[in-house]
Short mmCIF file of all heavy atoms in Angstrom, two decimals:
data_model
loop_
_atom_site.label_atom_id
_atom_site.label_comp_id
_atom_site.label_asym_id
_atom_site.label_seq_id
_atom_site.Cartn_x
_atom_site.Cartn_y
_atom_site.Cartn_z
N GLY A 55 47.48 -109.22 -62.56
CA GLY A 55 46.20 -109.91 -62.12
C GLY A 55 45.60 -109.29 -60.91
O GLY A 55 44.45 -109.56 -60.58
N LEU A 57 43.34 -106.46 -59.09
CA LEU A 57 42.20 -105.61 -59.48
C LEU A 57 42.37 -104.37 -58.61
O LEU A 57 42.64 -104.29 -57.42
CB LEU A 57 40.93 -106.35 -59.02
CG LEU A 57 40.54 -107.56 -59.86
CD1 LEU A 57 39.15 -108.14 -59.46
CD2 LEU A 57 40.63 -107.30 -61.28
N HIS A 58 42.14 -103.29 -59.36
CA HIS A 58 42.58 -101.95 -58.78
C HIS A 58 41.52 -100.93 -59.09
O HIS A 58 40.79 -100.96 -60.09
CB HIS A 58 43.75 -101.45 -59.55
CG HIS A 58 44.48 -100.27 -59.05
ND1 HIS A 58 45.22 -99.52 -59.84
CD2 HIS A 58 44.38 -99.72 -57.80
CE1 HIS A 58 45.62 -98.44 -59.12
NE2 HIS A 58 45.23 -98.48 -57.93
N SER A 59 40.93 -100.20 -57.99
CA SER A 59 39.87 -99.28 -58.33
C SER A 59 40.25 -97.90 -57.94
O SER A 59 41.16 -97.69 -57.06
CB SER A 59 38.58 -99.76 -57.70
OG SER A 59 38.69 -99.86 -56.32
N HIS A 90 43.48 -104.61 -70.77
CA HIS A 90 42.51 -105.42 -70.51
C HIS A 90 41.15 -104.54 -70.45
O HIS A 90 40.90 -103.76 -69.54
CB HIS A 90 42.55 -106.15 -69.15
CG HIS A 90 41.40 -107.06 -68.80
ND1 HIS A 90 41.39 -108.44 -69.18
CD2 HIS A 90 40.27 -106.86 -68.16
CE1 HIS A 90 40.20 -108.92 -68.71
NE2 HIS A 90 39.51 -108.03 -68.22
N ASN A 94 34.91 -102.54 -64.68
CA ASN A 94 33.69 -102.49 -63.87
C ASN A 94 33.61 -100.98 -63.33
O ASN A 94 34.58 -100.42 -62.96
CB ASN A 94 33.61 -103.38 -62.63
CG ASN A 94 32.39 -103.50 -61.95
OD1 ASN A 94 32.26 -102.61 -61.04
ND2 ASN A 94 31.42 -104.16 -62.43
N ASP A 101 23.99 -94.07 -47.88
CA ASP A 101 22.83 -93.56 -47.15
C ASP A 101 21.43 -94.01 -47.69
O ASP A 101 20.67 -94.22 -46.82
CB ASP A 101 22.92 -92.08 -47.07
CG ASP A 101 24.04 -91.42 -46.36
OD1 ASP A 101 24.53 -92.35 -45.50
OD2 ASP A 101 24.45 -90.26 -46.53
N SER A 109 29.15 -103.45 -65.86
CA SER A 109 30.32 -104.12 -66.44
C SER A 109 30.37 -103.67 -67.86
O SER A 109 29.21 -103.70 -68.60
CB SER A 109 30.17 -105.64 -66.37
OG SER A 109 30.07 -106.05 -65.07
N GLU A 153 23.80 -104.16 -62.74
CA GLU A 153 22.94 -104.61 -61.66
C GLU A 153 22.83 -103.58 -60.54
O GLU A 153 23.72 -102.71 -60.33
CB GLU A 153 23.55 -105.88 -61.00
CG GLU A 153 23.61 -107.09 -61.88
CD GLU A 153 24.46 -108.20 -61.21
OE1 GLU A 153 23.80 -109.05 -60.39
OE2 GLU A 153 25.57 -108.29 -61.48
N GLY B 55 36.36 -112.75 -68.51
CA GLY B 55 37.17 -111.57 -68.45
C GLY B 55 36.34 -110.38 -67.95
O GLY B 55 36.82 -109.31 -67.75
N LEU B 57 34.43 -107.92 -65.49
CA LEU B 57 34.58 -107.49 -64.02
C LEU B 57 33.26 -107.29 -63.46
O LEU B 57 32.46 -106.48 -64.05
CB LEU B 57 35.56 -106.33 -63.98
CG LEU B 57 36.92 -106.48 -64.31
CD1 LEU B 57 37.78 -105.19 -64.03
CD2 LEU B 57 37.59 -107.68 -63.52
N HIS B 58 33.06 -107.83 -62.40
CA HIS B 58 31.65 -107.88 -61.72
C HIS B 58 31.75 -107.40 -60.31
O HIS B 58 32.65 -107.84 -59.53
CB HIS B 58 31.21 -109.35 -61.87
CG HIS B 58 29.79 -109.56 -61.51
ND1 HIS B 58 29.41 -110.75 -61.10
CD2 HIS B 58 28.71 -108.73 -61.38
CE1 HIS B 58 28.00 -110.75 -60.86
NE2 HIS B 58 27.69 -109.51 -61.06
N SER B 59 30.95 -106.55 -59.84
CA SER B 59 30.99 -106.09 -58.45
C SER B 59 29.57 -106.17 -57.70
O SER B 59 28.51 -106.30 -58.50
CB SER B 59 31.52 -104.77 -58.33
OG SER B 59 30.72 -103.74 -58.77
N HIS B 90 39.76 -116.81 -59.90
CA HIS B 90 40.75 -115.88 -59.97
C HIS B 90 40.76 -115.25 -58.53
O HIS B 90 39.97 -114.41 -58.33
CB HIS B 90 40.29 -114.77 -60.98
CG HIS B 90 41.35 -113.67 -61.13
ND1 HIS B 90 42.39 -113.62 -61.97
CD2 HIS B 90 41.50 -112.44 -60.47
CE1 HIS B 90 43.24 -112.54 -61.86
NE2 HIS B 90 42.63 -111.84 -61.05
N ASN B 94 39.05 -107.05 -55.67
CA ASN B 94 39.17 -105.57 -55.16
C ASN B 94 37.98 -105.42 -54.23
O ASN B 94 36.79 -105.79 -54.48
CB ASN B 94 39.11 -104.69 -56.28
CG ASN B 94 39.33 -103.16 -55.84
OD1 ASN B 94 38.42 -102.44 -55.49
ND2 ASN B 94 40.52 -102.81 -55.76
N ASP B 101 29.32 -88.78 -49.38
CA ASP B 101 28.88 -87.50 -48.71
C ASP B 101 30.25 -86.80 -48.08
O ASP B 101 30.33 -85.67 -47.95
CB ASP B 101 27.94 -87.73 -47.49
CG ASP B 101 26.61 -87.94 -48.23
OD1 ASP B 101 26.35 -87.62 -49.32
OD2 ASP B 101 25.74 -88.50 -47.43
N SER B 109 43.17 -103.89 -52.63
CA SER B 109 43.38 -104.98 -53.50
C SER B 109 43.96 -106.27 -52.64
O SER B 109 44.87 -105.91 -51.76
CB SER B 109 44.48 -104.69 -54.63
OG SER B 109 44.06 -103.54 -55.25
N GLU B 153 44.43 -97.95 -51.13
CA GLU B 153 44.62 -96.56 -51.50
C GLU B 153 43.24 -95.76 -51.08
O GLU B 153 42.25 -96.42 -50.94
CB GLU B 153 44.68 -96.40 -52.97
CG GLU B 153 45.99 -96.78 -53.57
CD GLU B 153 46.04 -96.68 -55.12
OE1 GLU B 153 46.21 -95.58 -55.61
OE2 GLU B 153 45.65 -97.66 -55.81
#
Side-chain angles (χ1 to χ4, degrees):
Chain A
L57 294 182
H58 188 205
S59 64
H90 182 89
N94 185 270
D101 289 342
S109 303
E153 289 177 86
Chain B
L57 295 183
H58 188 204
S59 66
H90 182 90
N94 183 270
D101 288 342
S109 303
E153 288 176 87

